[in-house]
Amino acid sequence: MTTFTIRGAFYARRGYWQPFQKDHDATSDAEAREWVLSEIGSCHHVRRGQIRVDAITAAPAAQNPPASGR
């Protein structure tokens, strides 16, 4: 799995865009996007239309340690 960094903003209840940055292990950037929409939506009670994803980047391979066989 690759670690993706997702950056964006969501519309907060006080009427401003709150920026966020999340890291997530996923098999693709589409899966990482889906996860962040679900995570931000459930934690902050905002709809997907109120979440703006600006960038999804994969972390360099050196930052991704191999998975242990446990």
Side-chain angles (χ1 to χ4, degrees):
M1 284 200 168
T2 304
T3 300
F4 289 91
T5 300
I6 306 106
R7 291 184 182 97
F10 65 91
Y11 193 72
R13 293 181 183 209
R14 297 188 180 195
Y16 62 92
W17 286 92
Q18 174 70 43
F20 68 83
Q21 177 178 328
K22 298 277 188 182
D23 294 326
H24 182 65
D25 292 331
T27 56
S28 67
D29 61 345
E31 185 179 313
R33 174 187 282 278
E34 181 66 27
W35 174 82
V36 82
L37 292 174
S38 176
E39 182 73 11
I40 297 290
S42 67
C43 289
H44 297 281
H45 306 287
V46 294
R47 295 183 177 150
R48 289 173 180 238
Q50 296 173 315
I51 303 170
R52 187 174 63 205
V53 175
D54 297 329
I56 301 175
T57 55
Q63 291 182 356
N64 293 330
S68 63
R70 294 182 196 186

